[in-house]
Amino acid sequence: MDIPRARKSTPRKYVFGGVAALLLTVASVAVARMEPAAPRLDGSSMWTDTVKRGTMLREVRGPGTLVPEQVRWISATTAGRVEQILAQPGSTVVPGTPLIVLSNADVQRGALEAQRQLVGAEAERSSLAATLENQRLTQESAVATVRAEQREAARQAAANHELAEKGLISRMEMQRSQDRAEELAARLRVEEQRLRFLTESKAQQMAAQQTQIDRLRGLATFQEGYVNSMRVMAGTDGVLRELPLQEGQWVTPGSPLAVIVRPGRLKAQLRIPETQARDIVVGQPARIDTRNGIVSGVVARIDPAVQDGSVTVDVALQGEMPRGARPDLSVDGVIEIERLPNVLHLDRPAYGQPGGVVGLFKVEAGGRTAVRTDVRLGRSSVNTVEIVSGLREGDVVILADMTQWDKSQKVRLR
């Protein structure tokens, strides 16, 4: 008789173990493929702005100072020692106001020597004029004497000719009188030429002597100018800004003695970063903040050189100056470059360069999350930047520095 054999069954614990292993494997793969949890940020403290479409004003900003439009430097004409200081910085001066008194014995000696030479040359001219006039008169007398003798000899020769024709005198006597008349005529011509030469020579010698006198007079005037320059005067009206000298100090020719400015006419000198100065041109409008008010102006000059990474731009101020405006006052200036109509723009983010691509976090609908978006920036201004692509009008963007979340594509805002 057959006896039925009982079937062996797999223990339940093995089945459960296999299922658990399978679930663990699936979970591991899922966890490995999961993105890291989005970081949470305080949305109320985030600096954000909304993309707008409209006219964007491009401006550049730079610090600067107010400087006088008219500055008069007074330099030393000659070397000298400072004997007196007659004015102090801050004094109001007019043309002719004495500022400094210098002294230099060599300059005084040179002026006296030049004056002595001039007086000597003038005395020599008087002596020369008398000598030449005396020579001319002597020669004129000689011409008169020879002319009288020549006329007498001519008359005698004519009379002897008549007598010789009548046979009253010999022919030899007649020839002798004619030779005498011819000799005196030749002498007369020579003496007259000598008189003309003396007359012309007198004019030439007197002209040469006058030229010498004029040269010495110019030298004396020049030396006298050196003497007068040692009493330094203000050449224009204004305010004495600098006088960096002390009594007893020795100055050399060309040394700066004083600076006079006209405080009523000021201009602003702005230092614009070289990367922003390329679009500035003469004539562009500007606004200057003096801390006591805003003054309008226009760009008057752009320095062609770059110094310490900035370009100096002169702004001519227009209108009335605010109270307290004075030379060397620190100011801030804004220059209007251009107006861009109908462009997307927003406030400048904390990072990113104009013309480059920057990753900005765009706030999604509901304001709970923000997603990283690649945005291409265009032209920039002081506070705004043009959006070329990556955003649309009405998008809200986080502008704060988010570089610490570079590895995150999304952040949560709470």
Side-chain angles (χ1 to χ4, degrees):
M1 178 179 171
D2 292 333
I3 299 173
R5 180 178 297 176
R7 180 181 301 175
K8 285 187 176 181
S9 59
T10 304
R12 188 177 297 179
K13 62 179 180 180
Y14 294 129
V15 175
F16 290 155
V19 173
L22 179 61
L23 292 176
L24 181 60
T25 302
V26 172
S28 299
V29 173
V31 170
R33 293 185 177 183
M34 286 180 60
E35 296 181 356
R40 290 183 176 273
L41 305 177
D42 185 3
S44 61
S45 64
M46 287 291 101
W47 171 31
T48 62
D49 188 36
T50 302
V51 178
K52 299 173 285 292
R53 179 176 291 276
T55 300
M56 172 183 158
L57 180 61
R58 287 190 65 205
E59 297 174 325
V60 294
R61 183 189 301 273
T65 55
L66 294 182
V67 297
E69 284 189 353
Q70 296 182 354
V71 180
R72 177 69 178 268
W73 285 80
I74 300 178
S75 302
T77 304
T78 182
R81 179 177 289 103
V82 179
E83 296 295 338
Q84 287 181 295
I85 297 178
L86 305 177
Q88 296 297 329
S91 304
T92 300
V93 298
V94 297
T97 300
L99 303 178
I100 308 168
V101 177
L102 304 176
S103 65
N104 189 330
D106 291 337
V107 174
Q108 296 283 355
R109 188 182 302 109
L112 292 176
E113 177 62 22
Q115 190 65 29
R116 185 193 66 79
Q117 292 180 3
L118 174 61
V119 173
E122 290 177 341
E124 185 177 349
R125 178 187 60 179
S126 300
S127 176
L128 178 63
T131 300
L132 294 177
E133 181 65 16
N134 184 53
Q135 292 177 357
R136 188 189 69 81
L137 292 176
T138 301
Q139 183 62 29
E140 190 172 345
S141 176
V143 168
T145 301
V146 173
R147 182 181 293 115
E149 292 179 355
Q150 186 270 335
R151 289 176 179 174
E152 177 63 25
R155 289 193 294 270
Q156 184 65 42
N160 289 343
H161 180 68
E162 292 178 1
L163 293 174
E165 287 182 349
K166 293 178 181 180
L168 298 177
I169 60 174
S170 65
R171 204 172 262 286
M172 182 178 293
E173 185 69 22
M174 180 193 69
Q175 291 293 336
R176 187 180 295 113
S177 62
Q178 288 179 350
D179 292 342
R180 174 67 176 168
E182 292 176 358
E183 176 191 359
L184 290 174
R187 285 183 56 191
L188 178 61
R189 287 194 298 271
V190 172
E191 295 298 336
E192 288 177 342
Q193 289 179 358
R194 185 175 296 168
L195 178 62
R196 286 194 299 271
F197 173 77
L198 286 175
T199 303
E200 295 174 357
S201 176
K202 175 185 177 182
Q204 294 175 357
Q205 292 185 61
M206 292 302 297
Q209 185 64 23
Q210 186 62 43
T211 300
Q212 177 71 1
I213 291 176
D214 292 341
R215 185 184 68 82
L216 292 175
R217 180 176 288 112
L219 180 60
T221 303
F222 187 74
Q223 292 292 340
E224 187 65 24
Y226 273 154
V227 174
N228 294 334
S229 69
M230 290 192 296
R231 187 172 180 84
V232 182
M233 305 285 187
T236 183
D237 55 345
V239 175
L240 182 61
R241 188 174 74 176
E242 297 180 23
L243 203 157
L245 298 174
Q246 298 294 330
E247 291 185 358
Q249 183 176 346
W250 183 266
V251 297
T252 58
S255 300
L257 302 179
V259 179
I260 299 176
V261 301
R262 287 190 175 182
R265 299 297 303 172
L266 300 175
K267 64 180 179 180
Q269 282 189 343
L270 304 180
R271 297 180 297 276
I272 306 299
E274 58 180 327
T275 56
Q276 302 178 21
R278 58 190 177 188
D279 296 327
I280 299 177
V281 296
V282 174
Q284 290 175 336
R287 303 186 306 277
I288 306 300
D289 184 2
T290 65
R291 275 69 171 189
N292 291 326
I294 305 296
V295 186
S296 61
V298 294
V299 175
R301 188 188 71 91
I302 304 171
D303 198 322
V306 177
Q307 295 182 354
D308 299 330
S310 63
V311 176
T312 300
V313 178
D314 289 353
V315 176
L317 303 181
Q318 300 172 337
E320 185 177 356
M321 298 293 296
R323 295 184 60 184
R326 62 188 62 189
D328 299 327
L329 179 68
S330 297
V331 297
D332 284 327
V334 177
I335 301 175
E336 181 180 326
I337 301 298
E338 61 179 336
R339 293 178 179 267
L340 304 177
N342 193 29
V343 296
L344 290 175
H345 62 277
L346 79 163
D347 290 349
R348 290 191 65 170
Y351 52 95
Q353 295 296 326
V357 177
V358 61
L360 299 179
F361 283 90
K362 180 176 67 175
V363 179
E364 294 184 323
R368 296 293 183 179
T369 58
V371 180
R372 179 184 295 275
T373 304
D374 289 335
V375 179
R376 179 172 293 278
L377 305 179
R379 292 162 289 187
S380 66
S381 181
V382 175
N383 298 317
T384 58
V385 65
E386 179 187 10
I387 303 301
V388 177
S389 62
L391 296 175
R392 295 180 298 177
E393 182 180 0
D395 288 345
V396 179
V397 180
I398 298 176
L399 303 179
D401 188 1
M402 301 288 286
T403 54
Q404 59 180 324
W405 312 114
D406 284 345
K407 296 183 179 180
S408 301
Q409 296 299 317
K410 180 185 290 188
V411 295
R412 295 183 180 276
L413 305 177
R414 63 175 184 272

